[in-house]
Structures are given as structure tokens and as C-alpha cells.
Amino acid sequence: YHMSAAKIKLADYLRKSNKNAGEAESLYKSVLSLLKSQKAEDRKYMVQAYLGLSALSLKLKENKNAEEYCNKAIELQARGDHNPDELARDYLILASIFKSLGKPDQAIKYSKQALQIREAEFGFQDKTLLNCLQQLHSLLQLSDKKEAEKIKARIAQIEAKSN
């Protein structure tokens, strides 16, 4: 069990429970300072730390910092060799952050990338796609009603199949 994983888990808890933003920020940053290497395992934790810092910055209304941390996470993810499910999860987090930043085009882009990864891994009718599809549907309702309706129909089809 990687020490960075434990620190990220604690920082995520502090951030989500509104307990101590300063301590959460400190934990995320300590992970980043520890992991200067370019090993794939370290990059995974660095991405998680950047995503956590981004979400924390959003909570603190520091949108500029939130976007900077997102971009750093994206840069690290672009280096490859990620577990597909973790990458899809990270893309959904990025989509959520970009939505909060008022950047729906970026949010849609990352939701679609997460969906493509999960489709490649699980097929086009698997219930593991529901989270991606639901997030994409809510984003598309604001900009592309026709595409949103197609996604809604697909959600209904998958839900009916899995019941």
C-alpha cells in the first residue's frame, strides 16, 4: 500500500467533509513533492493529488488555481500507461471540475473520453457506462438537446437490460 495513496485518501476525506482545507492542501502538496520521479505508479498518485487540489481550489472559490491543477493532471495523464478504468474515472472528475468552472465544452470533451474508454473496455451496453452517460446527458442538455435525447434513450435501454 503506497504512502501517497493513504495521504490522498485522508486529504480527500478532509476536503469532502469540509474539515480542514489547509491540512488537505498540505497533504496533496506533500504527495507531489515526494513523487518527483517519472514512474507510472507515481504519476497515478500525482494525477490524483492534482485533481484533489483542483476540487479543493473550486471549493475555496479559487477558480484560476483549480484550472491550473486540472491542466497539470491532464499533462501527466497524456504521458500514458494508465489503468483504463482509473483514466476514465479521472476524466469524469475533470469533466465535473470543468463544468463547475463554467467550461461546458471542456466538460463534454472529458465526459466523452471517459465514455469511449469504458465502451472499449466493457462494450456498448454494459451498466458500467451509466455514470458516464448520465454525466454526459446532463452536460449536453445545456448545449445539444438532440444529442442529449440520444444519450437519454441509451441510458433507458441499458437500465432496462440490466433489470
Side-chain angles (χ1 to χ4, degrees), residues 75-146:
E75 285 172 30
L76 284 170
Q77 286 170 325
R79 295 184 189 169
D81 51 82
H82 295 280
N83 170 308
D85 200 50
E86 289 174 355
L87 186 58
R89 184 204 63 223
D90 291 348
Y91 282 156
L92 289 174
I93 293 169
L94 282 168
S96 177
I97 291 169
F98 278 117
K99 179 183 178 187
S100 297
L101 287 170
K103 298 186 176 224
D105 292 343
Q106 289 284 84
I108 290 168
K109 172 186 166 185
Y110 286 106
S111 286
K112 285 182 176 180
Q113 286 181 326
L115 179 61
Q116 288 172 343
I117 291 167
R118 293 232 167 111
E119 286 171 340
E121 195 170 351
F122 300 107
F124 290 86
Q125 295 297 315
D126 196 90
K127 65 182 179 193
T128 56
L129 303 178
L130 286 174
N131 190 19
C132 293
L133 289 166
Q134 289 162 341
Q135 185 172 357
L136 186 55
H137 176 259
S138 77
L139 289 165
L140 288 170
Q141 282 186 305
L142 306 172
S143 62
D144 188 343
K145 297 264 187 219
K146 192 173 181 180

Side-chain angles (χ1 to χ4, degrees), residues 26-44:
S26 170
L27 284 165
Y28 288 130
K29 287 183 175 179
S30 75
V31 167
L32 293 172
S33 65
L34 279 173
L35 302 175
K36 297 288 185 201
S37 78
Q38 294 303 308
K39 293 188 301 194
E41 183 72 8
D42 290 350
R43 280 199 302 272
K44 172 179 110 173

Side-chain angles (χ1 to χ4, degrees), residues 144-163:
D144 188 343
K145 297 264 187 219
K146 192 173 181 180
E147 183 69 18
E149 284 306 309
K150 288 180 191 175
I151 298 293
K152 186 177 179 181
R154 192 166 166 204
I155 291 169
Q157 185 181 33
I158 292 172
E159 285 175 336
K161 182 183 167 232
S162 51
N163 287 336

Side-chain angles (χ1 to χ4, degrees), residues 60-79:
L60 299 172
K61 308 275 190 254
E62 297 169 354
N63 290 2
K64 188 173 186 265
N65 287 345
E67 190 166 358
E68 282 177 29
Y69 290 131
C70 268
N71 289 330
K72 287 180 180 182
I74 291 165
E75 285 172 30
L76 284 170
Q77 286 170 325
R79 295 184 189 169

